[in-house]
């Protein structure tokens, strides 16, 4: 470009997202998880007993949630990525409840404590993708053509097809793209019909650490 030479690279950073030559989303998701964990470590006041749970939730949404979900509408979440995102959701709850590793609280015990009230899971990302899909479907512009179309004259290679962007929505709603488009045009919000990940299992450690703080006001 002009007198400058642009080198060929396998990946580069653009608007806070990692763009790679073969478009995998693992680096993007791993980077966002790392940013969220760093933010949690910096917000040491989140485990303070002097802050109410409502205040902690507002801080979490403003500082952690916004950084974690930046650009998440473009992700294709695989099973391995979903497990990482669900682990981050458990880490967030441990931080808000002040549960340390020395307390020896298992994941099953943690889910008993939060009573199924997840603040963040991989389904949070999928729901954001559904909302963005509905917006694009109603817009009926170039983005919809790119999302629903295919390149003329191309033939898919042999073997197992790669995961597409819409596969997360299809597996969560059980709807085809045309059916989802009909819901979007009817102003019906797409909802996840799958159950929450990692349901509580029977645990022998029913005697949990007694906490003075309550989650009833969440």
């Amino acid at each position: 470009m002009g007198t400058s030479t642009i080198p060929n690279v396998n990946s580069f950073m653009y608007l806070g997202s990692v763009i790679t030559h073969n478009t995998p989303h693992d680096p993007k998701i791993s980077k966002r998880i790392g940013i969220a964990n760093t933010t949690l470590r910096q917000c040491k006041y989140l485990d303070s007993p002097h802050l109410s749970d409502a205040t902690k939730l507002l801080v979490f949404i403003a500082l952690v949630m916004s950084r974690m979900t930046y650009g998440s509408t473009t992700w294709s979440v695989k099973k391995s990525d979903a497990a990482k995102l669900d682990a981050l959701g458990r880490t967030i709850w441990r931080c808000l409840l002040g549960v340390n590793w020395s307390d020896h609280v298992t994941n099953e015990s943690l889910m008993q404590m939060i009573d199924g009230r997840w603040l963040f899971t991989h389904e949070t990302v999928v729901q954001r993708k559904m909302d963005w899909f509905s917006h694009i479907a109603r817009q009926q512009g170039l983005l919809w053509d790119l999302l629903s179309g295919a390149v003329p004259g191309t033939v898919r290679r042999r073997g197992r097809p790669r995961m597409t962007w819409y596969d997360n929505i299809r597996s969560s709603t059980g709807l085809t793209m045309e059916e989802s488009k009909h819901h979007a045009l009817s102003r019906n919000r797409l909802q996840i019909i799958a159950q929450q990940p990692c349901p509580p299992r029977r645990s022998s450690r029913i005697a949990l650490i007694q906490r003075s703080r309550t989650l009833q006001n969440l």
Side-chain angles (χ1 to χ4, degrees):
M1 181 176 295
T3 59
S4 302
T5 301
I6 301 178
N8 293 326
V9 296
N10 294 327
S11 63
F12 63 93
M13 184 72 67
Y14 179 72
L15 296 179
S17 298
V18 180
I19 309 299
T20 58
H21 70 288
N22 55 355
T23 64
H25 295 83
D26 307 66
K28 301 178 185 179
I29 298 177
S30 299
K31 178 179 178 59
R32 285 293 145 189
I33 292 176
I35 292 176
N37 285 323
T38 302
T39 305
L40 283 175
R41 288 193 296 269
Q42 293 175 348
C43 299
K44 299 180 179 180
Y45 46 81
L46 285 178
D47 59 355
S48 173
H50 303 291
L51 290 180
S52 64
D53 293 328
T55 302
K56 291 181 180 180
L57 288 179
L58 292 176
V59 173
F60 161 74
I61 294 174
L63 300 182
V64 182
M65 190 74 166
S66 58
R67 297 182 180 183
M68 177 61 224
T69 58
Y70 178 80
S72 60
T73 53
T74 63
W75 297 349
S76 295
V77 183
K78 299 182 294 186
K79 289 185 178 180
S80 58
D81 300 326
K84 296 177 183 178
L85 295 173
D86 293 343
L88 175 63
R90 292 189 291 268
T91 301
I92 292 171
W93 262 122
R94 289 177 181 272
C95 179
L96 295 180
L97 295 177
V99 178
N100 300 318
W101 65 270
S102 58
D103 295 331
H104 302 290
V105 178
T106 62
N107 291 335
E108 291 80 4
S109 301
L110 179 66
M111 284 184 283
Q112 294 277 355
M113 296 173 65
I114 66 178
D115 194 23
R117 280 173 278 196
W118 290 83
L119 294 179
F120 179 85
T121 65
H122 76 278
E123 291 186 349
T124 306
V125 176
V126 176
Q127 187 63 59
R128 290 174 65 91
K129 291 179 61 175
M130 291 180 182
D131 296 339
W132 188 77
F133 172 87
S134 300
H135 173 71
I136 296 302
R138 289 190 295 267
Q139 195 176 29
Q140 290 294 304
L142 178 60
L143 286 177
W144 173 255
D145 295 337
L146 295 174
L147 183 63
S148 60
V151 180
T154 58
V155 180
R156 186 178 66 83
R157 296 181 179 179
R158 296 178 58 185
R160 182 178 180 180
R162 290 187 177 182
M163 183 178 185
T164 63
W165 180 88
Y166 184 76
D167 285 341
N168 291 137
I169 301 179
R170 180 185 293 107
S171 61
S172 298
T173 61
L175 301 176
T176 63
M177 183 174 289
E178 287 299 323
E179 292 172 340
S180 298
K181 178 183 177 182
H182 177 73
H183 278 69
L185 295 177
S186 301
R187 292 287 178 173
N188 295 324
R189 191 186 185 193
L190 296 175
Q191 297 288 343
I192 298 176
I193 60 175
Q195 295 181 353
Q196 286 284 358
C198 301
R201 293 173 293 182
R202 185 172 60 182
S203 174
S204 58
R205 303 189 61 178
I206 303 299
L208 306 176
I209 301 176
Q210 298 296 326
R211 303 282 177 179
S212 59
R213 298 189 298 273
T214 178
L215 302 177
Q216 299 298 327
N217 295 327
L218 297 184

